[in-house]
Amino acid sequence: MAPEARSWVPYDEGHQWQAHAAYFETRGIQAWTEGDIPHRATNNHAFARQHSVLLLELIQSLQAEGRADPATRIQVLELGGGLGDFAVGLLLALRDELGEAGRALFNRVSYVFTDVSRLSLEQAAQRTALAEFIASGHVLPALMDARAPTVARTLEGEAVALAPWAVVANYLCCVLPTKVFRKQAESWLELHSQRRPPPTDASPSPEPEGNEEAAPWRRLVGEHAWLPVNLRETFRGPLHPSLLEQVLAHCAEAELAYPYAFVELLDSLLERIPSGGAFLFSDFEDGSSEGHIPPGSRIPVLYGDSLNHPVCFPLFEPLARMRADELLVSPGWHGSTRTALWRRGAPLSSALREAFATGFCRPQAGQDRLDFEVAAQKLSEAGEHRRALRFYDRCLALDPHALTLYEQAGATALALGDLETALRYLREGAARDRFRQRDFALRMSEVYCRKGELRQASELLERSLQAHEAPMTCVALGQVYLELGEHARAFQNGTRALELAPGLQEAEQLLSAVQGAWCEAELGLGALANRWWQDKLLALTQTTRKDSP
């Protein structure tokens, strides 16, 4: 028996998408900083620099074509900016790495940095590197929902006038509302899920349990159904039906995750871009090629509660033809990131084509940087630390602003036992970290402890605590003071660690060790004198809070 239509809603209206939207609203930038969502593919300096080179060539082309005056203020709009690392990398490259032409463009750029989540936007704007560009007036943070791309407002609620010469969207298409269709001969089916919350595993399914083709969708959405649809009744206007029919014209059977929200965003924003302006977007591909959309399932990747659909890049070629725009798309790199350059209403100059080919179609520096980091991590995990350091050096040559690479390289050198090399990496990272985003003092203190230079380690840890009072830094400093025989200071730091993080096991272990060492030092006993310690503890508690670092 066919499932009743009233029991089902289209996949993009189901409970998974409600959780997806709530995830970004509540998780903030921790979705990236705590490792839920991979982001290095587009949040690395080499990738951002490629965009800055292309942006510079675009503006020079506009000026050569008489479309923009050399004094024109250049608005760049980034959608779904997330952490802000890409924006910082692009602006740093313009300011510091592309000569006088780059610096001149940097001084003309008004970079509108947007996100749909107020929490994410506020947190990103507080990160020191981005905050500096906000303070200098180069970056304006704004709230913007990609499903309503004509409206942007500052955090204070003021409207932002949008007339961008360039729009950038990294890993946005994959997370916007998506419908899933199957084409079977001349018929179209759409994926639906139940209206109510997902059922238990024991609940019956409208598709046979032995149907392996249905299994991936069942694991994601539970009970589901493929219901026949009329494309022209499903969508308002002819854009989506026409695009779907064109892209699947040569496929008798196919399944397609269709990012209709991104298509509408693209179509809408292109109307706001002046003639000759560009829309650049990067995302991870689904392996499709023009004329070949595979029939298999297009299951999204789930990161946290975030749905991430691999993108069918051949979709955009007929859309560009329909709009009479120019489009370049980089080749796929083993199923990873592809970049599209879309120029509105103007041909792509030979210089622009060459800049795109150099930055995105030939072996990419950004892709190499990621590959080198993965290789370094795997070699280090396998104990091949010396070879791992060679790959970290290659990473740092491509991405010298990536502070985490200096930490990783320092830890690898420390595991190798090469203390001087570990210090070299960590010192270089600390020198570049003028906003103190990472705790290099804590990392270096470990090296000095290994060298037996405990006083130097204690000074670094004291400096680290002045910048940020973290419980594990208190524990580390307490352990150093314990080794130095300065028991009162060791006790103070262990106590402070527990105040910051009640129940912290490392702090409790430190205090236990301090108790034993101090008792033995004062009484010369191998066993604890409990009465002595209780008296000592009573005296200490009168001054600890006042004297704690």
Side-chain angles (χ1 to χ4, degrees), residues 14 126 155 191 293 302 347 370 428-429 535:
Q126 291 169 4
L155 288 166
L191 178 66
I293 311 297
L302 194 63
L370 295 176
E428 186 173 352
D535 292 342

Side-chain angles (χ1 to χ4, degrees), residues 420-489:
E420 291 305 322
T421 298
L423 276 178
R424 175 172 62 81
Y425 284 119
L426 295 172
R427 283 171 177 157
E428 186 173 352
R432 289 182 175 275
D433 187 18
R434 60 194 183 96
F435 297 115
R436 294 193 179 183
Q437 298 176 76
R438 317 294 298 185
D439 199 343
F440 283 101
L442 178 61
R443 276 41 173 201
M444 285 189 285
S445 72
E446 183 179 354
V447 182
Y448 281 111
C449 284
R450 290 273 293 272
K451 293 178 70 175
E453 299 178 20
L454 298 179
R455 190 59 65 188
Q456 181 70 30
S458 70
E459 291 173 1
L460 282 167
L461 289 167
E462 293 280 11
R463 192 186 313 160
S464 175
L465 285 172
Q466 289 173 7
H468 175 63
E469 198 174 24
M472 287 306 298
T473 308
C474 292
V475 170
L477 182 57
Q479 290 171 335
V480 170
Y481 281 133
L482 178 60
E483 290 292 320
L484 287 168
E486 298 183 23
H487 301 113
R489 287 186 169 183

Side-chain angles (χ1 to χ4, degrees), residues 41-53:
T42 56
N43 282 272
N44 68 79
H45 186 73
F47 184 80
R49 187 183 187 280
Q50 290 164 205
H51 280 71
S52 66
V53 170

Side-chain angles (χ1 to χ4, degrees), residues 188-388:
W188 292 86
L189 304 174
E190 183 179 357
L191 178 66
H192 285 66
S193 61
Q194 282 195 327
R195 288 183 180 276
R196 54 184 180 270
T200 64
D201 292 339
S203 300
S205 170
E207 301 195 51
E209 286 294 333
N211 185 346
E212 290 300 318
E213 185 181 355
W217 282 115
R218 183 180 298 114
R219 285 193 292 270
L220 179 71
V221 302
E223 290 193 37
H224 60 285
W226 293 91
L227 302 181
V229 293
N230 183 319
L231 292 180
R232 300 191 183 280
E233 295 176 357
T234 300
F235 296 106
R236 291 177 297 177
L239 174 63
H240 298 301
S242 178
L243 184 55
L244 283 164
E245 288 164 358
Q246 286 190 52
V247 78
L248 295 181
H250 303 292
C251 302
E253 291 191 6
E255 183 175 309
L256 179 66
Y258 180 60
Y260 69 93
F262 186 79
V263 170
E264 292 171 359
L265 163 76
L266 181 62
D267 193 56
S268 175
L269 276 180
L270 284 168
E271 294 304 312
R272 302 182 76 89
I273 295 174
S275 179
F279 195 125
L280 288 115
F281 56 95
S282 300
D283 227 307
F284 69 121
E285 61 165 345
D286 71 352
S288 298
S289 58
E290 189 170 16
H292 178 68
I293 311 297
S297 288
R298 323 306 267 179
I299 303 296
V301 181
L302 194 63
Y303 296 121
D305 281 332
S306 167
L307 296 162
N308 296 254
H309 290 82
V311 176
C312 177
F313 274 85
L315 268 172
F316 302 109
E317 293 161 9
L319 180 59
R321 291 194 294 269
M322 290 163 60
R323 290 186 47 88
D325 292 333
E326 292 257 8
L327 175 66
L328 292 177
V329 181
S330 68
W333 297 95
H334 311 297
S336 59
T337 303
R338 298 182 77 176
T339 297
L341 166 61
W342 194 302
R343 196 175 194 203
R344 180 184 179 238
L348 286 157
S349 66
S350 58
L352 263 176
R353 288 180 179 275
E354 179 58 27
F356 185 79
T358 301
F360 298 96
C361 298
R362 294 166 193 156
Q364 300 178 24
Q367 191 66 40
D368 288 344
R369 177 253 189 266
L370 295 176
D371 292 342
F372 293 156
E373 183 178 4
V374 170
Q377 290 171 341
K378 289 185 176 179
L379 286 167
S380 186
E381 290 168 1
E384 298 187 46
H385 304 301
R386 199 172 298 281
R387 288 184 64 199

